[in-house]
Amino acid sequence: MKRFKMILSVASAVSLFGASILTFAGCANNEEIITLRVCNWEEYIDLGGWDEEERIDLDSGDIFGVNTIYDDFAEWFNETHDFKVKVEYSTFGTNEDLYNRLSLGDVYDVVCPSDYMIMKLLAEDKLEEYSEEFASGEYSANVSPYIDGVFTQYGWDKYAACYMWGTTGIVYNPEKIDDVADVSSWNILLNDNYNRQVTIKDNVRDAYFAALGIINSELLTTQQFDTDALSDIMNATDSETIAKAEDVLKQIKDNVYSFETDAGKADMVTGKVIANYQWSGDAITILDEADADGTELWYSVPDECANLWFDGWVMLKNGIDGNEQRKTAAEAFVNFLSRPDNAIRNMYYIGYTSAIADETVFEYLDWNYGAEDGVETIEYNVSYFFGDDGEYVIYADANDFEMDENDEINRGRQLFAQYPPENIKSRSVVMRDFEDKLTEINQMWINVRCLDVMDISPVTIGIICGAVGFIAIAGVLYGFRYKLFIKHKPKKGFKKVDE
């Protein structure tokens, strides 16, 4: 922790000094307040409130871990600009939840959707382009060249700033798995050796991706494809493929313990299940929590392919609405989060991997995962992420990784989950927006997740019909109970009159 404090102290001091020099000329003298409306994923930013022993005292006198990072942003902004800002912070649970809010008229200035939702919003002309001034700020100076290349490739670079990123894979308990080959394929979701012991994500996109991995398993593990060809295979949405995916997902439903959104984390830690389809960021949290309980869990990326996902900050046109001050505040917020010290704060708090890749973040990575003296080490190269202009190697504990027959790392612990090696990156693809196939795929998902009467046995149907009939007869009898079973007497003071 002491070294972590030193890293943050130095980074914060440098960033604050630079920011002060750049903005001192415009120190606040205008009392106008802009409300910056920010909407982000739940528990996806440093919300402060750290335990006292976890807080970090900086040389500047600030203390990390007390306030939310967006409150610290507002304080910094109001000291360095000629107008004031306050942050109205809210959260969403899924990309679809965010999109529905926008469709119903909710207005935000800055939101943090995932890659495919960025594509959707961009196609609908709902995004505000970042300014040239933003391009000279913290984000552009510190973003990973690898991340920047991906965003440029997809045409997002002028409209989105990457926040966090990662892969999808399988968290598993090595003590409960028959063979590591089982967790090296999406087929583990169909493996009846693990009947009711594995969980899958309860959303159509992640489930569909796994189904495509299973459908194309033999093809993907016996042939080599470039990124474009691999992307086409794993983004196929023709009607025949959708039908095959539905069939596979129905088989998966019969085999897995559950479809889950968040319960898989606790189920893995408690041992209720032995494998869990998971996002890499949550995988790190699971591994950390299991370590605290004395259980060693691992993360595997299936041999077929992994989903390479990104979450990024975008500005919305109807929120900014041509207001230059609001746009300035929105861009300043994204740049503030892109300072190395603040990137580390958020990574430390939520466990996910920031797109920021300067020397300070590398030192933080080495602080987390560098091997202790006296253990066998492995050279874990992350130069592709931090920049080819330097040799960025972590000398990590060799026991935290497992090699395949080609001497490539396909399974490992936290470092592997947080920064996948080159071989994993090369077989990972971005899952695109379903576009005009969305309705057909959503119907497929309804067919999978909703109860199919044809799947119910005749005995069960008979029992259900019998129960419904019994309830109906009981209701009729109850309605006529006085005439059938009870000799009715008039109340006191009244006489019964025969008709």
Side-chain angles (χ1 to χ4, degrees), residues 120 204-205 208 235-243 432-445:
K120 186 176 182 67
V204 63
R205 290 182 62 82
Y208 188 72
N235 281 285
T237 55
D238 58 277
S239 296
E240 182 181 356
T241 299
I242 295 172
R432 300 192 291 260
D433 180 30
F434 290 142
E435 297 180 340
D436 58 348
K437 285 290 186 174
L438 178 61
T439 300
E440 188 176 349
I441 291 176
N442 280 342
Q443 183 58 56
M444 176 276 293
W445 185 240

Short mmCIF file of all heavy atoms in Angstrom, two decimals, residues 120 204-205 208 235-243 432-445:
data_model
loop_
_atom_site.label_atom_id
_atom_site.label_comp_id
_atom_site.label_asym_id
_atom_site.label_seq_id
_atom_site.Cartn_x
_atom_site.Cartn_y
_atom_site.Cartn_z
N LYS A 120 -24.89 2.06 -32.20
CA LYS A 120 -26.30 2.34 -32.42
C LYS A 120 -26.59 3.83 -32.30
O LYS A 120 -27.26 4.43 -33.15
CB LYS A 120 -27.14 1.55 -31.42
CG LYS A 120 -28.65 1.64 -31.63
CD LYS A 120 -29.38 0.75 -30.65
CE LYS A 120 -30.88 0.79 -30.85
NZ LYS A 120 -31.29 0.20 -32.14
N VAL A 204 -29.17 -11.53 -24.06
CA VAL A 204 -29.16 -12.15 -25.37
C VAL A 204 -27.82 -12.04 -26.07
O VAL A 204 -27.39 -12.97 -26.77
CB VAL A 204 -30.30 -11.56 -26.24
CG1 VAL A 204 -30.09 -10.08 -26.50
CG2 VAL A 204 -30.42 -12.31 -27.57
N ARG A 205 -27.10 -10.94 -25.90
CA ARG A 205 -25.86 -10.76 -26.64
C ARG A 205 -24.78 -11.72 -26.16
O ARG A 205 -24.14 -12.40 -26.97
CB ARG A 205 -25.39 -9.30 -26.52
CG ARG A 205 -26.27 -8.32 -27.28
CD ARG A 205 -25.74 -6.90 -27.16
NE ARG A 205 -24.41 -6.78 -27.74
CZ ARG A 205 -24.14 -6.61 -29.02
NH1 ARG A 205 -25.12 -6.55 -29.90
NH2 ARG A 205 -22.90 -6.49 -29.45
N TYR A 208 -25.80 -15.29 -27.05
CA TYR A 208 -25.71 -15.53 -28.50
C TYR A 208 -24.25 -15.72 -28.92
O TYR A 208 -23.95 -16.60 -29.73
CB TYR A 208 -26.33 -14.35 -29.25
CG TYR A 208 -26.47 -14.55 -30.74
CD1 TYR A 208 -27.42 -15.42 -31.26
CD2 TYR A 208 -25.65 -13.87 -31.64
CE1 TYR A 208 -27.56 -15.61 -32.64
CE2 TYR A 208 -25.78 -14.05 -33.01
CZ TYR A 208 -26.74 -14.91 -33.50
OH TYR A 208 -26.87 -15.10 -34.86
N ASN A 235 -20.20 -12.62 -35.72
CA ASN A 235 -21.27 -11.63 -35.79
C ASN A 235 -22.33 -12.03 -36.81
O ASN A 235 -23.12 -11.19 -37.25
CB ASN A 235 -20.70 -10.25 -36.15
CG ASN A 235 -20.08 -9.56 -34.96
OD1 ASN A 235 -20.78 -9.05 -34.09
ND2 ASN A 235 -18.76 -9.53 -34.91
N ALA A 236 -22.37 -13.31 -37.18
CA ALA A 236 -23.34 -13.79 -38.15
C ALA A 236 -24.76 -13.67 -37.59
O ALA A 236 -25.02 -14.09 -36.46
CB ALA A 236 -23.05 -15.24 -38.52
N THR A 237 -25.66 -13.08 -38.36
CA THR A 237 -27.05 -12.91 -37.90
C THR A 237 -28.05 -13.33 -38.98
O THR A 237 -29.19 -12.86 -38.98
CB THR A 237 -27.31 -11.45 -37.49
OG1 THR A 237 -26.97 -10.58 -38.59
CG2 THR A 237 -26.52 -11.06 -36.26
N ASP A 238 -27.64 -14.21 -39.89
CA ASP A 238 -28.59 -14.72 -40.87
C ASP A 238 -29.59 -15.63 -40.16
O ASP A 238 -29.33 -16.15 -39.06
CB ASP A 238 -27.86 -15.48 -41.97
CG ASP A 238 -27.03 -16.64 -41.42
OD1 ASP A 238 -25.89 -16.38 -40.97
OD2 ASP A 238 -27.54 -17.77 -41.41
N SER A 239 -30.73 -15.83 -40.76
CA SER A 239 -31.83 -16.57 -40.12
C SER A 239 -31.43 -18.01 -39.78
O SER A 239 -31.84 -18.55 -38.74
CB SER A 239 -33.06 -16.56 -41.02
OG SER A 239 -33.54 -15.25 -41.19
N GLU A 240 -30.64 -18.64 -40.63
CA GLU A 240 -30.21 -20.02 -40.36
C GLU A 240 -29.34 -20.09 -39.10
O GLU A 240 -29.52 -20.97 -38.26
CB GLU A 240 -29.43 -20.57 -41.56
CG GLU A 240 -28.99 -22.01 -41.38
CD GLU A 240 -28.22 -22.55 -42.57
OE1 GLU A 240 -28.08 -21.82 -43.58
OE2 GLU A 240 -27.73 -23.70 -42.50
N THR A 241 -28.43 -19.12 -38.96
CA THR A 241 -27.57 -19.10 -37.78
C THR A 241 -28.38 -18.80 -36.52
O THR A 241 -28.14 -19.41 -35.47
CB THR A 241 -26.46 -18.04 -37.95
OG1 THR A 241 -25.67 -18.38 -39.09
CG2 THR A 241 -25.57 -17.99 -36.73
N ILE A 242 -29.32 -17.89 -36.62
CA ILE A 242 -30.16 -17.57 -35.47
C ILE A 242 -30.94 -18.81 -35.02
O ILE A 242 -31.07 -19.08 -33.82
CB ILE A 242 -31.12 -16.42 -35.81
CG1 ILE A 242 -30.33 -15.13 -36.06
CG2 ILE A 242 -32.13 -16.19 -34.68
CD1 ILE A 242 -31.16 -13.97 -36.59
N ALA A 243 -31.46 -19.58 -35.96
CA ALA A 243 -32.19 -20.80 -35.63
C ALA A 243 -31.29 -21.82 -34.94
O ALA A 243 -31.69 -22.48 -33.98
CB ALA A 243 -32.81 -21.40 -36.89
N ARG A 432 -20.81 -6.68 -32.79
CA ARG A 432 -21.44 -5.52 -33.39
C ARG A 432 -22.92 -5.41 -33.02
O ARG A 432 -23.52 -6.35 -32.51
CB ARG A 432 -21.26 -5.56 -34.91
CG ARG A 432 -19.81 -5.57 -35.36
CD ARG A 432 -19.69 -5.32 -36.86
NE ARG A 432 -20.18 -6.41 -37.66
CZ ARG A 432 -19.43 -7.35 -38.24
NH1 ARG A 432 -18.11 -7.32 -38.05
NH2 ARG A 432 -19.95 -8.29 -38.98
N ASP A 433 -23.49 -4.27 -33.32
CA ASP A 433 -24.92 -4.05 -33.12
C ASP A 433 -25.70 -4.98 -34.06
O ASP A 433 -25.32 -5.17 -35.21
CB ASP A 433 -25.25 -2.58 -33.42
CG ASP A 433 -26.72 -2.26 -33.24
OD1 ASP A 433 -27.37 -2.91 -32.40
OD2 ASP A 433 -27.22 -1.35 -33.94
N PHE A 434 -26.81 -5.54 -33.55
CA PHE A 434 -27.62 -6.44 -34.36
C PHE A 434 -28.39 -5.73 -35.48
O PHE A 434 -28.89 -6.37 -36.40
CB PHE A 434 -28.63 -7.19 -33.48
CG PHE A 434 -28.00 -8.20 -32.56
CD1 PHE A 434 -28.48 -8.38 -31.27
CD2 PHE A 434 -26.93 -8.98 -32.98
CE1 PHE A 434 -27.92 -9.31 -30.42
CE2 PHE A 434 -26.36 -9.92 -32.13
CZ PHE A 434 -26.86 -10.09 -30.84
N GLU A 435 -28.55 -4.43 -35.38
CA GLU A 435 -29.21 -3.60 -36.39
C GLU A 435 -30.58 -4.16 -36.75
O GLU A 435 -31.40 -4.41 -35.88
CB GLU A 435 -28.29 -3.44 -37.61
CG GLU A 435 -26.99 -2.72 -37.28
CD GLU A 435 -26.08 -2.55 -38.47
OE1 GLU A 435 -26.23 -3.29 -39.46
OE2 GLU A 435 -25.20 -1.66 -38.43
N ASP A 436 -30.83 -4.40 -38.05
CA ASP A 436 -32.17 -4.81 -38.47
C ASP A 436 -32.51 -6.25 -38.11
O ASP A 436 -33.63 -6.71 -38.34
CB ASP A 436 -32.35 -4.60 -39.98
CG ASP A 436 -31.32 -5.38 -40.81
OD1 ASP A 436 -30.35 -5.89 -40.23
OD2 ASP A 436 -31.50 -5.46 -42.04
N LYS A 437 -31.56 -6.98 -37.53
CA LYS A 437 -31.82 -8.35 -37.08
C LYS A 437 -32.19 -8.41 -35.60
O LYS A 437 -32.41 -9.50 -35.05
CB LYS A 437 -30.57 -9.22 -37.33
CG LYS A 437 -30.37 -9.60 -38.79
CD LYS A 437 -31.44 -10.60 -39.23
CE LYS A 437 -31.18 -11.12 -40.62
NZ LYS A 437 -32.13 -12.20 -40.99
N LEU A 438 -32.27 -7.25 -34.97
CA LEU A 438 -32.53 -7.21 -33.53
C LEU A 438 -33.86 -7.87 -33.18
O LEU A 438 -33.94 -8.66 -32.22
CB LEU A 438 -32.50 -5.76 -33.04
CG LEU A 438 -32.81 -5.56 -31.55
CD1 LEU A 438 -31.78 -6.29 -30.69
CD2 LEU A 438 -32.83 -4.07 -31.21
N THR A 439 -34.92 -7.57 -33.92
CA THR A 439 -36.24 -8.13 -33.61
C THR A 439 -36.23 -9.65 -33.72
O THR A 439 -36.76 -10.35 -32.84
CB THR A 439 -37.30 -7.55 -34.57
OG1 THR A 439 -37.34 -6.13 -34.42
CG2 THR A 439 -38.67 -8.13 -34.28
N GLU A 440 -35.60 -10.18 -34.77
CA GLU A 440 -35.55 -11.62 -34.95
C GLU A 440 -34.76 -12.30 -33.84
O GLU A 440 -35.15 -13.37 -33.34
CB GLU A 440 -34.94 -11.95 -36.32
CG GLU A 440 -35.02 -13.42 -36.69
CD GLU A 440 -34.49 -13.70 -38.10
OE1 GLU A 440 -34.28 -12.72 -38.87
OE2 GLU A 440 -34.31 -14.88 -38.44
N ILE A 441 -33.64 -11.69 -33.44
CA ILE A 441 -32.81 -12.27 -32.39
C ILE A 441 -33.51 -12.15 -31.03
O ILE A 441 -33.45 -13.08 -30.21
CB ILE A 441 -31.42 -11.61 -32.37
CG1 ILE A 441 -30.65 -12.01 -33.62
CG2 ILE A 441 -30.64 -12.00 -31.11
CD1 ILE A 441 -29.30 -11.35 -33.78
N ASN A 442 -34.19 -11.05 -30.79
CA ASN A 442 -34.95 -10.92 -29.54
C ASN A 442 -36.06 -11.96 -29.45
O ASN A 442 -36.34 -12.51 -28.38
CB ASN A 442 -35.53 -9.52 -29.41
CG ASN A 442 -34.51 -8.50 -28.94
OD1 ASN A 442 -33.47 -8.87 -28.39
ND2 ASN A 442 -34.80 -7.24 -29.14
N GLN A 443 -36.71 -12.25 -30.58
CA GLN A 443 -37.75 -13.29 -30.58
C GLN A 443 -37.13 -14.66 -30.29
O GLN A 443 -37.71 -15.48 -29.56
CB GLN A 443 -38.47 -13.31 -31.92
CG GLN A 443 -39.62 -14.32 -31.99
CD GLN A 443 -40.66 -14.08 -30.92
OE1 GLN A 443 -41.22 -12.98 -30.83
NE2 GLN A 443 -40.94 -15.09 -30.10
N MET A 444 -35.96 -14.90 -30.86
CA MET A 444 -35.23 -16.13 -30.56
C MET A 444 -34.98 -16.25 -29.06
O MET A 444 -35.18 -17.31 -28.46
CB MET A 444 -33.91 -16.15 -31.34
CG MET A 444 -33.00 -17.34 -31.04
SD MET A 444 -31.94 -17.16 -29.57
CE MET A 444 -30.85 -15.83 -30.08
N TRP A 445 -34.58 -15.14 -28.45
CA TRP A 445 -34.27 -15.14 -27.02
C TRP A 445 -35.53 -15.39 -26.18
O TRP A 445 -35.48 -16.11 -25.19
CB TRP A 445 -33.63 -13.81 -26.66
CG TRP A 445 -33.15 -13.68 -25.24
CD1 TRP A 445 -33.55 -12.76 -24.32
CD2 TRP A 445 -32.14 -14.47 -24.60
NE1 TRP A 445 -32.86 -12.93 -23.14
CE2 TRP A 445 -31.99 -13.97 -23.29
CE3 TRP A 445 -31.35 -15.54 -25.00
CZ2 TRP A 445 -31.09 -14.51 -22.37
CZ3 TRP A 445 -30.46 -16.10 -24.09
CH2 TRP A 445 -30.34 -15.58 -22.81
#
